[in-house]
């Protein structure tokens, strides 16, 4: 039988729990989703534990699992993916972090983890640090990503280098001293380097003219950097070789773009695809259909459902589910009808929790010859679907089978 093409659409943090603020419905149940409803009627449904029951996934570990890579083997921190997503090159021993500009007092007590959040000066401050931040014996590079955030890479740190965060993750606490996470000499050396970077960055930023101006204007100084998610890139098997598929990713979210790059999935930049609630749905769908002309496997990521969950805003999440539905509709319009189209999530971000949870997420698979479950695409309908319950690691295999792309094991 002919091999089919595969579209995997992941709506970040889509899953939820019944909320009293939505008359005990989930956002998926409360939203008006005509396109998902139409797709769902002829699809198989199921539930996915992205990593395992009782494990609350991060977006990074979950996406590795959804691409079929065990995060317990391959995950070494989010930093490398952020750096790749910011279009930085990454060598095997480069140690990469996610970073924030923050406001601290003279004792390195964190007053604001986001330096007032509004930080239009961030790209200039990053350039300044790139020029001036000199730590003996190492090369350090930064690249601005979004708002007050950046990626920071220490070149040739060593493959064994593993160190802790300096970000205390809360205000009112001091910047944490960086410590080695293992006994390797690289880790000990890098912990010291990171502590020097923290001190030196504070000195440089404290007296920067842009910060003097911010202070005069009554705004918080961006006078410190907080680092987290430090790690080196492990050797990851590429998706194209592993599954004999040509592959593309359509996403505006740095960490997801970075993961896809690390897995050798082509990751074009698409104008208007921003990775937030303002993303251009039509541009995104067009990019998907274009990619599908050339590729066997197209991965699409929709971020805004997760952000609404973190904001504990049920109405916003309903609106974002409806935006996801528009994206699904636009993609459906461009399909030929013989593809495998899967819609799922990387984890739940329940609006009453405001954080990721370990709940399983709904999965829909549409293809010409699936067992159709009928009904809507919701968490509760998915619990009774033909697919049953999967772990994230199994999803690629299930999709490949539906696409007639799995080779026989044995004679
Ligand atoms: Zn996520
Ligand atoms: Zn999240």
């Amino acid at each position: 039988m002919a091999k089919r093409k595969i579209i995997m659409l992941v709506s970040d943090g889509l899953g939820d729990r019944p909320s009293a603020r939505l008359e005990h419905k989930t956002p998926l149940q409360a939203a008006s989703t005509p396109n998902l409803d139409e797709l769902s009627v002829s699809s198989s449904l199921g539930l996915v534990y992205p990593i395992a029951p009782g494990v609350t996934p991060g977006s990074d570990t979950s996406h590795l699992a959804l691409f079929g890579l065990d995060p317990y083997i391959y995950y070494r921190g989010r930093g490398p993916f952020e750096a790749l997503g910011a279009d930085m090159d990454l060598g095997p021993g480069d140690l990469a972090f996610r970073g924030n500009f923050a406001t601290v007092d003279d004792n390195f007590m964190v007053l604001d983890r986001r330096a007032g959040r509004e930080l239009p000066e961030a790209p200039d401050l990053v350039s300044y640090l790139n020029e001036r931040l000199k730590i003996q014996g190492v090369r350090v590079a930064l690249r601005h990503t979004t708002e007050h955030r950046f990626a920071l890479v220490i070149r040739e740190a060593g493959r064994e280098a593993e160190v802790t965060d300096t970000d205390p993750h809360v205000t009112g606490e001091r910047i944490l001293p960086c410590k080695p996470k293992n006994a390797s000499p690289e880790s000990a050396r890098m912990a010291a380097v990171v502590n020097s970077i923290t001190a030196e960055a504070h000195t440089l930023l404290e007296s920067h003219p842009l910060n003097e101006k911010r202070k005069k204007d009554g705004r918080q100084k961006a006078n410190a950097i907080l680092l987290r998610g430090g790690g080196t890139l492990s050797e990851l098997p590429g998706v194209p070789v592993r599954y004999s598929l040509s592959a593309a990713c359509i996403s505006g979210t740095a960490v997801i773009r970075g993961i896809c790059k690390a897995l050798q999935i082509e990751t074009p930049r698409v104008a208007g695809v921003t990775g937030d609630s303002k993303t251009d749905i039509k541009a995104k769908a067009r990019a998907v259909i274009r990619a599908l002309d050339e590729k066997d496997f197209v991965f699409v990521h929709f971020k805004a459902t997760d952000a609404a969950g973190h904001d504990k805003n049920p109405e916003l999440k309903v609106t974002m589910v409806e935006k996801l539905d528009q994206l699904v509709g636009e993609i459906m319009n461009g399909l030929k009808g013989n593809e495998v189209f899967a819609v799922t999530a990387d984890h739940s971000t329940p609006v009453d929790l405001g954080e990721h949870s370990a709940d399983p997420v709904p999965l829909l698979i549409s293809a010409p010859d699936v067992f159709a479950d009928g009904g809507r695409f919701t968490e509760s309908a998915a619990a009774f679907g033909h697919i049953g319950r999967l772990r994230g690691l199994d999803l690629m295999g299930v999709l490949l089978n539906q696409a007639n792309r799995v080779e026989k094991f044995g004679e």
Side-chain angles (χ1 to χ4, degrees):
M1 203 188 269
K3 289 179 178 173
R4 295 178 179 138
K5 299 198 174 200
I6 302 170
I7 307 120
M8 180 159 109
L9 168 55
V10 170
S11 181
D12 208 298
L14 173 66
D16 215 298
R17 297 172 179 174
S19 169
R21 292 182 289 165
L22 294 173
E23 297 173 337
H24 300 283
K25 292 178 182 163
T26 67
L28 259 178
Q29 287 173 320
S32 159
T33 56
N35 298 304
L36 278 165
D37 293 354
E38 185 189 326
L39 188 67
S40 181
V41 166
S42 56
S43 296
S44 272
L45 302 182
L47 287 175
V48 179
Y49 286 102
I51 296 177
V55 178
T56 299
S59 290
D60 45 11
T61 48
S62 172
H63 274 82
L64 285 178
L66 294 176
F67 287 125
L69 301 181
D70 186 342
Y72 290 106
I73 295 173
Y74 293 106
Y75 182 66
R76 290 199 196 160
R78 177 153 167 167
F81 300 131
E82 289 280 344
L84 284 174
D87 294 332
M88 296 177 90
D89 294 326
L90 220 48
D94 291 348
L95 180 61
F97 296 84
R98 317 169 71 187
N100 273 15
F101 285 106
T103 309
V104 299
D105 71 9
D106 293 342
N107 293 316
F108 284 90
M109 172 87 81
V110 178
L111 304 175
D112 189 335
R113 283 187 65 245
R114 297 160 166 176
R117 197 156 197 181
E118 293 287 308
L119 190 63
E121 300 91 342
D124 291 325
L125 296 177
V126 163
S127 308
Y128 183 72
L129 289 178
N130 268 329
E131 272 167 37
R132 298 291 190 89
L133 187 66
K134 301 280 182 246
I135 307 294
Q136 202 174 4
V138 290
R139 283 182 300 131
V140 180
L142 294 87
R143 177 138 335 156
H144 178 244
T145 52
T146 55
E147 297 169 322
H148 52 280
R149 301 184 196 92
F150 55 85
L152 181 146
V153 175
I154 305 172
R155 300 293 181 195
E156 289 161 34
R159 280 171 190 263
E160 300 294 311
E162 253 195 292
V163 296
T164 57
D165 295 354
T166 65
D167 185 348
H169 296 272
V170 287
T171 49
E173 284 187 21
R174 297 184 64 193
I175 294 182
L176 300 171
C178 183
K179 293 180 183 154
K181 272 188 178 172
N182 60 30
S184 74
E186 283 106 327
S187 296
R189 178 166 163 256
M190 281 308 124
V193 165
V194 169
N195 289 326
S196 303
I197 289 173
T198 301
E200 185 62 21
H202 176 61
T203 307
L204 289 168
L205 292 168
E206 177 66 28
S207 57
H208 192 283
L210 286 174
N211 269 326
E212 295 298 341
K213 181 159 187 321
R214 279 179 72 88
K215 195 178 170 192
K216 244 185 242 153
D217 298 345
R219 292 180 299 157
Q220 304 263 44
K221 277 186 173 185
N223 62 358
I225 62 172
L226 306 178
L227 301 176
R228 63 189 191 281
T232 56
L233 198 59
S234 61
E235 265 179 56
L236 293 159
V239 159
V241 169
R242 190 179 172 102
Y243 302 117
S244 304
L245 287 171
S246 54
C249 153
I250 308 296
S251 165
T253 303
V255 65
I256 304 300
R257 295 175 56 80
I259 290 170
C260 286
K261 282 186 183 180
L263 300 180
Q264 284 143 42
I265 299 173
E266 231 173 75
T267 308
R269 285 232 178 245
V270 181
V273 172
T274 53
D276 60 22
S277 62
K278 293 189 277 300
T279 197
D280 181 342
I281 291 302
K282 290 199 166 156
K284 195 165 204 166
R286 273 197 305 273
V288 171
I289 300 303
R290 230 178 7 248
L292 210 55
D293 270 346
E294 286 175 22
K295 306 292 183 193
D296 304 317
F297 174 80
V298 179
F299 170 75
V300 200
H301 182 253
F302 181 79
K303 176 69 190 169
T305 33
D306 180 54
H310 284 293
D311 286 349
K312 297 189 170 185
N313 186 333
E315 291 78 23
L316 181 63
K317 191 158 177 187
V318 167
T319 305
M320 290 307 127
V321 169
E322 291 174 352
K323 190 156 182 174
L324 166 72
D325 186 67
Q326 289 167 25
L327 174 63
V328 169
E330 294 288 342
I331 293 172
M332 283 164 71
N333 284 340
L335 295 182
K336 297 190 171 79
N338 56 352
E339 301 87 351
V340 176
F341 186 9
V343 182
T344 190
D346 57 344
H347 49 77
S348 297
T349 310
V351 288
D352 289 336
L353 204 61
E355 256 311 326
H356 301 185
S357 73
D359 302 318
V361 296
L363 164 69
L364 165 163
I365 301 178
S366 157
D369 52 0
V370 291
F371 290 99
D373 286 312
R376 295 190 69 211
F377 178 56
T378 63
E379 295 86 349
S380 52
F384 297 98
H386 270 92
I387 303 166
R389 281 164 170 75
L390 302 177
R391 292 194 186 202
L393 273 179
D394 296 323
L395 178 63
M396 278 304 290
V398 168
L399 296 181
L400 290 165
N401 174 56
Q402 204 68 56
N404 305 320
R405 287 176 181 273
V406 180
E407 282 180 24
K408 187 160 53 180
F409 174 45
E411 275 294 316

